């Protein structure tokens, strides 16, 4: 189990995230040797990205980024979006 140190409490409060859930997620995160930093999705809501540093068995959560342009779409919308983007670039 990792020791988690949160350096961005104001972001957790501002985004109204569950601090206990974040702590649990980061405590049990598998860390490969030589890893110095991490970027991972927040388990409870994929629109939030957790960013931090790793030193030994300590995980420092330094930033949380919320997806700004999230848009829910089904496969048909996704196909049309990709087709439009591809045609636009060709």
């Amino acid at each position: 189990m990792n020791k988690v140190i949160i350096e961005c409490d104001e972001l957790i409060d501002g985004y109204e995230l569950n601090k206990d859930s974040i702590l649990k997620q980061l405590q049990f995160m598998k860390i490969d040797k030589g890893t110095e930093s991490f970027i991972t999705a927040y388990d409870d809501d994929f629109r939030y990205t957790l960013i931090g540093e790793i030193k030994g068995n300590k995980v420092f959560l330094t930033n949380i980024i919320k997806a700004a342009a999230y848009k829910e779409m089904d496969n048909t919308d996704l196909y049309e979006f990709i087709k439009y983007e591809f045609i636009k670039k060709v």
Side-chain angles (χ1 to χ4, degrees):
M1 182 178 354
N2 305 313
K3 180 176 180 180
V4 179
I5 299 166
I6 296 179
E7 298 177 347
C8 56
D9 285 319
E10 66 284 348
L11 289 175
I12 292 173
D13 295 339
Y15 290 140
E16 299 178 358
L17 303 178
N18 184 331
K19 186 173 183 175
D20 291 333
S21 180
I22 291 173
L23 283 169
K24 190 176 199 179
Q25 177 180 344
L26 297 179
Q27 283 173 340
F28 293 100
M29 183 171 70
K30 184 174 171 22
I31 299 173
D32 294 329
K33 281 193 169 192
T35 303
E36 295 178 3
S37 59
F38 69 91
I39 298 174
T40 188
Y42 173 46
D43 283 349
D44 291 350
D45 188 341
F46 67 91
R47 291 177 289 177
Y48 295 93
T49 302
L50 308 177
I51 301 170
E53 300 173 357
I54 299 167
K55 296 174 184 166
N57 70 335
K58 293 181 183 175
V59 175
F60 296 84
L61 180 62
T62 58
N63 201 352
I64 300 172
I65 299 173
K66 181 179 180 182
Y70 169 74
K71 179 181 175 188
E72 190 169 327
M73 59 175 68
D74 64 15
N75 288 341
T76 305
D77 293 338
L78 183 59
Y79 172 75
E80 291 300 320
F81 174 76
I82 291 170
K83 187 171 89 174
Y84 172 77
E85 288 297 313
F86 178 73
I87 291 171
K88 185 173 86 174
K89 292 180 181 178
V90 172

